Amino acid sequence: MKANYHTHTDRCKHAKGKEEDYVKAAIDCGLSILGFSDHAPFPDTDFGLRMVYEELDDYLSCIDTMANRYGNQITLQKGLEIEYLPQYKGYYEWLLTEKKLDYLLLGEHFFYSGNGDFCNVFNVTTIPDTTCYLDYAKAVTDAMKTGLFKMVAHPDIFLMNPYAWDNNCEKAADSIIETALITNTILEYNANGLRREKKEYPDGIRHPYPHDNFWKKVSETSIEVIVGSDCHTPELLWDTTVETAYRNLASFGITPIHTI
């Protein structure tokens, strides 16, 4: 079975293609299940690069329309990729219960540090050491413990920054993996990280993520792993990079799941 649960549309302002474009591409690629997980809005703050809150109902309605139109060819699921901030716990619950989402995909692009600073995973180079990784890991583990998030997108995205793998990386990875195991949360092996250019890091030439050290640790557990395309254009929904992601997991001895 071929399935993908990490799919973006042009509503997030940094992707291309409407919902129907992705549905058609999924059918052409032979997918049985397509989950939409566009970057979620927050009701009172625009954190950027995501749909506006006023589009939420139209997004969900459009997926329902596509499900009715193409239901004999593919199963569609409604999801959102969203960051965990503790003050929005009621909002996440509302999305699942009132808006009837099938799943929330945790994509922790920003988080609070231990001293209350608001941090973005893409610019943690402003912090002089890797203690920020521990703050990221705490945000992710706190989210998993709520039981609101079925999967964690690119759990190792924090390793995209120009630091060598050190003891803080070790602790952060162990914390995320141990909590995923305890909470029965799925971890996503993200194909979009493989689409990013390889660069020279202190620990070698590699893609920014997925990071081999992280997934070697996962391979030693019984955690469920899923491949996410994280596509931002319909053409990338199931490309050679997704196939590479499956081969990489096989090299670690990990057999990914296909349905959630």
Side-chain angles (χ1 to χ4, degrees):
M1 176 181 287
K2 294 168 69 173
N4 180 59
Y5 294 88
H6 197 159
T7 311
H8 296 288
T9 75
D10 62 0
R11 294 181 191 269
C12 71
K13 304 179 184 67
H14 61 285
K16 297 179 181 179
K18 305 294 183 184
E19 288 83 359
E20 188 164 20
D21 297 324
Y22 286 92
V23 174
K24 289 179 177 178
I27 293 171
D28 288 344
C29 292
L31 269 68
S32 301
I33 301 172
L34 177 65
F36 283 94
S37 58
D38 218 345
H39 290 284
F42 286 82
D44 55 358
T45 304
D46 183 4
F47 289 104
L49 295 177
R50 60 197 57 236
M51 76 175 78
V52 297
Y53 183 72
E54 289 73 21
E55 279 192 82
L56 178 60
D57 284 342
D58 187 61
Y59 166 73
L60 299 176
S61 176
C62 185
I63 297 171
D64 286 337
T65 298
M66 294 301 105
N68 289 330
R69 185 174 300 169
Y70 296 98
N72 63 334
Q73 300 178 71
I74 192 169
T75 297
L76 302 183
Q77 292 204 354
K78 291 184 290 188
L80 288 167
E81 181 183 7
I82 193 167
E83 295 77 7
Y84 176 68
L85 299 174
Q87 67 268 35
Y88 289 103
K89 185 172 183 291
Y91 178 54
Y92 308 131
E93 293 170 345
W94 177 79
L95 288 170
L96 291 168
T97 58
E98 298 298 321
K99 292 302 179 181
K100 310 297 184 186
L101 262 66
D102 295 301
Y103 63 96
L104 289 176
L105 175 63
L106 178 68
E108 198 74 354
H109 301 98
F110 43 76
F111 55 95
Y112 291 114
S113 69
N115 60 13
D117 290 339
F118 191 72
C119 301
N120 189 306
V121 73
F122 294 105
N123 61 9
V124 298
T125 51
T126 58
I127 301 172
D129 58 51
T130 57
T131 56
C132 55
Y133 292 166
L134 303 180
D135 295 325
Y136 169 86
K138 185 178 186 308
V140 171
T141 57
D142 285 349
M144 286 191 278
K145 290 173 184 176
T146 68
L148 296 168
F149 302 91
K150 191 161 287 188
M151 297 176 283
V152 181
H154 39 60
D156 52 341
I157 194 173
F158 67 98
L159 295 163
M160 69 185 296
N161 293 287
Y163 302 119
W165 181 277
D166 64 4
N167 192 48
N168 286 328
C169 297
E170 198 83 24
K171 289 179 180 177
D174 286 344
S175 178
I176 291 169
I177 291 167
E178 288 168 9
T179 305
L181 190 61
I182 292 168
T183 59
N184 198 31
T185 306
I186 301 164
L187 296 184
E188 178 205 69
Y189 190 86
N190 188 273
N192 202 37
L194 299 176
R195 296 189 188 105
R196 296 173 183 263
E197 184 180 357
K198 282 187 175 181
K199 297 193 301 184
E200 186 169 352
Y201 290 84
D203 52 2
I205 297 174
R206 59 176 175 83
H207 296 286
Y209 61 95
H211 197 295
D212 285 356
N213 288 0
F214 185 93
W215 292 98
K216 287 174 184 175
K217 286 177 172 288
V218 174
S219 71
E220 298 169 356
T221 74
S222 59
I223 292 171
E224 290 189 326
V225 173
I226 197 164
V227 172
S229 173
D230 194 1
C231 51
H232 289 67
T233 68
E235 294 77 16
L236 298 179
L237 177 58
W238 196 280
D239 60 351
T240 56
T241 308
V242 173
E243 300 288 352
T244 297
Y246 278 94
R247 287 195 298 271
N248 288 354
L249 287 178
S251 72
F252 293 123
I254 297 174
T255 302
I257 62 172
H258 299 280
T259 60
I260 62 173

